[in-house]
Amino acid sequence: MWSIFSTSGQDDGEATVTGAARWTQILRHTVDVVADRGYAGASLNRIADHVGISKGLISYHFAGKDELLEALVRDVFTRGAEFVMRRWGAHVPPDVPASEALRVYLEGNLGFIAANPRDVGAVVEIVRNHRDAEGRLVFGTAWDEELHKELARIFIAGQEAGEFRRFDPRVMAIAVRRVIDGFTFQITAHPDMDADAFTAEVVTLFDHATRATPMETTTDA
Amino acid sequence: MWSIFSTSGQDDGEATVTGAARWTQILRHTVDVVADRGYAGASLNRIADHVGISKGLISYHFAGKDELLEALVRDVFTRGAEFVMRRWGAHVPPDVPASEALRVYLEGNLGFIAANPRDVGAVVEIVRNHRDAEGRLVFGTAWDEELHKELARIFIAGQEAGEFRRFDPRVMAIAVRRVIDGFTFQITAHPDMDADAFTAEVVTLFDHATRATPMETTTDA
DNA sequence: CTAAAAATTGACCACATGGTCAAAACCGTA
DNA sequence: TACGGTTTTGACCATGTGGTCAATTTTTAG
């Protein structure tokens, strides 16, 4: 699970302590700039100004803007994966019912977002906008594909166990991911919202959406 | 309903036939460029090249890039509203059950997207990215707010009628809108997908998500 | 204390951006 | 044909972009 990037933790190629600190500092400020000026507004100049350093220094620590953004995405993603896995390990014994797995998945993801809204916001912005020279999304497609496959596995397991009704796992996966990402926007736009209440609503929503109705609990079609 | 823009139909300020034709032509090509190069990749130069005219001519027909993008959004939005309203009028007699209203809402929206994926894709791209000089989203917030309110009305009606279970109408509205917009991305990434099947799945999903379970059909808490 | 290494600056580059404008081409019509 | 309005171009502008690099400061180690 969670395997788009094979990286483990800090992939920060900086040798010295100073270097690593700057590296982190630049990433943190990049998050801020992207989060409140958007992908298009996050120029190297603006980021440098925001950090309080010269633009050249960014180039000293990162090969180019692409690498900076990639590092940002990788960093937040890795932390998110750790966060979710920690919860998973704590709450999910082997062979849990799929509905439990789904609940933990949702709570984990929404929990991480609630705790790091700006970071996740920046990542979403980048994933949704960063393109190569030919105009193809750099992360976009593969990213979604991976996350959807992951969820689909949970759904299929639940359907085979008769726990979930029959539905297209792909469509349900899209719905779940879309709602999760939507939460990022919501919490950004309304920072004072009740994240736990939102989470509870979403969990219930998808519980109803997936669970087999008593009469449908039969075997195959 | 559907009232962010008070405009009715073509707001095209062009007096002559030629002018109106160019106006439309530029908008159509802008859709194409935004749809496959993204918001950031849609420069006036690229749009002009794509149309086969000089950049200056765009400025002749539109006061600026902002106005061009606004016109684009308004145009597609208006057509979408008409599309949905037509279906509504055809299929929805007064005092329909809320579940029917929701179904028609979903089918209308997804139907329009399936019929005009690139146009809607471009609009989503613009709405999600276009910012003013201070970095605030120009459409983003108000846009969502309006659409959510609309859906919330349906949900509240359904809950008052005992047809829907008790849930936060706001959260459900967010979920519905997120899934609808997600469909735009899906159909863009996989143009050969089965839109009707997807629609059916989504309708079922939200039917389960909203409908009151037999035992819950009671009155208030 | 000194010399090498690391970190940092600021000037610079080629290029793209949105926007302007005078000149030219096009057009209907008197 | 000549006029007047509309349409269209292409050169131009100020600004911003990502990126480079020699020169400089700061840190580290011998």
Side-chain angles (χ1 to χ4, degrees):
Chain A
M1 297 226 176
W2 291 96
S3 53
I4 289 179
F5 299 107
S6 41
T7 330
S8 54
Q10 280 307 59
D11 69 324
D12 163 354
E14 305 280 343
T16 64
V17 196
T18 324
R22 264 278 128 88
W23 194 88
T24 303
Q25 188 196 22
I26 294 173
L27 281 197
R28 276 210 315 270
H29 283 269
T30 304
V31 163
D32 283 338
V33 176
V34 173
D36 50 47
R37 310 292 306 219
Y39 172 82
S43 69
L44 291 185
N45 263 312
R46 225 194 296 263
I47 295 168
D49 281 2
H50 202 271
V51 184
I53 58 176
S54 75
K55 183 181 48 163
L57 191 49
I58 295 181
S59 297
Y60 177 72
H61 287 279
F62 296 90
K65 201 188 184 185
D66 289 10
E67 199 181 283
L68 170 60
L69 297 180
E70 260 181 61
L72 187 305
V73 170
R74 198 152 28 193
D75 182 59
V76 176
F77 185 88
T78 305
R79 277 162 40 214
E82 267 165 29
F83 184 98
V84 172
M85 286 314 253
R86 191 155 34 246
R87 288 216 177 192
W88 193 274
H91 298 299
V92 183
D95 291 336
V96 277
S99 59
E100 276 293 285
L102 178 57
R103 204 202 75 228
V104 174
Y105 183 92
L106 285 167
E107 288 176 351
N109 276 269
L110 299 181
F112 182 70
I113 294 170
N116 312 269
R118 291 172 74 75
D119 302 67
V120 178
V123 168
V124 170
E125 194 78 10
I126 294 167
V127 167
R128 233 87 241 180
N129 283 293
H130 190 46
R131 292 169 189 256
D132 63 21
E134 284 79 36
R136 288 178 299 249
L137 285 170
V138 175
F139 301 101
T141 323
W143 179 277
D144 287 342
E145 222 59 52
E146 193 70 21
L147 295 178
H148 292 162
K149 243 179 262 172
E150 201 153 293
L151 270 164
R153 242 175 282 149
I154 297 179
F155 295 140
I156 291 168
Q159 288 175 328
E160 283 173 353
E163 204 184 337
F164 288 166
R165 67 179 178 88
R166 265 175 247 83
F167 54 78
D168 184 336
R170 173 163 191 75
V171 175
M172 189 65 72
I174 291 168
V176 167
R177 284 307 320 178
R178 289 292 301 175
V179 172
I180 290 174
D181 288 356
F183 179 57
T184 307
F185 290 109
Q186 286 302 316
I187 210 167
T188 302
H190 313 289
D192 54 328
M193 76 179 285
D194 184 342
D196 289 340
F198 190 100
T199 302
E201 283 286 333
V202 169
V203 168
T204 309
L205 194 166
F206 282 109
D207 190 63
H208 280 79
T210 53
R211 199 175 287 284
T213 318
M215 28 222 152
E216 292 183 33
T217 327
T218 50
T219 49
D220 221 31
Chain B
M1 298 221 178
W2 292 95
S3 51
I4 290 177
F5 298 107
S6 42
T7 331
S8 54
Q10 289 296 67
D11 70 324
D12 161 357
E14 305 280 342
T16 64
V17 195
T18 324
R22 263 280 127 89
W23 194 89
T24 303
Q25 188 197 21
I26 293 174
L27 279 197
R28 276 210 314 270
H29 283 270
T30 303
V31 164
D32 283 337
V33 176
V34 173
D36 48 49
R37 310 291 307 216
Y39 173 80
S43 69
L44 291 185
N45 263 313
R46 225 195 297 263
I47 294 168
D49 281 1
H50 202 271
V51 183
I53 58 177
S54 73
K55 184 181 48 167
L57 191 50
I58 295 181
S59 296
Y60 176 72
H61 287 280
F62 297 89
K65 200 188 183 184
D66 289 9
E67 198 181 284
L68 170 59
L69 296 180
E70 259 181 62
L72 187 303
V73 170
R74 195 150 33 192
D75 181 58
V76 175
F77 185 89
T78 306
R79 279 161 39 213
E82 268 165 27
F83 183 98
V84 172
M85 285 314 252
R86 191 156 35 244
R87 288 216 178 190
W88 194 274
H91 297 298
V92 183
D95 291 335
V96 278
S99 60
E100 276 293 283
L102 178 57
R103 206 202 73 229
V104 173
Y105 183 92
L106 284 168
E107 288 176 352
N109 276 269
L110 298 181
F112 182 70
I113 294 169
N116 313 270
R118 292 174 73 75
D119 301 68
V120 178
V123 168
V124 171
E125 194 78 11
I126 295 166
V127 168
R128 232 87 242 179
N129 284 290
H130 190 45
R131 292 167 188 257
D132 62 23
E134 284 80 36
R136 289 178 298 250
L137 286 170
V138 175
F139 301 101
T141 322
W143 180 275
D144 286 343
E145 223 58 52
E146 192 70 23
L147 295 177
H148 293 163
K149 243 179 260 167
E150 201 154 294
L151 270 163
R153 242 174 283 149
I154 296 180
F155 294 139
I156 291 166
Q159 288 174 329
E160 284 172 354
E163 203 185 337
F164 287 165
R165 68 182 176 86
R166 266 175 244 84
F167 53 79
D168 185 337
R170 173 162 191 77
V171 175
M172 189 64 73
I174 291 167
V176 167
R177 284 307 319 177
R178 289 291 301 175
V179 172
I180 290 174
D181 287 357
F183 179 57
T184 307
F185 290 110
Q186 286 302 315
I187 210 167
T188 301
H190 314 288
D192 54 328
M193 76 180 284
D194 185 341
D196 289 341
F198 190 100
T199 303
E201 283 286 332
V202 171
V203 168
T204 310
L205 194 165
F206 282 108
D207 190 63
H208 280 79
T210 52
R211 198 175 289 284
T213 317
M215 27 218 155
E216 293 184 31
T217 326
T218 50
T219 48
D220 221 33

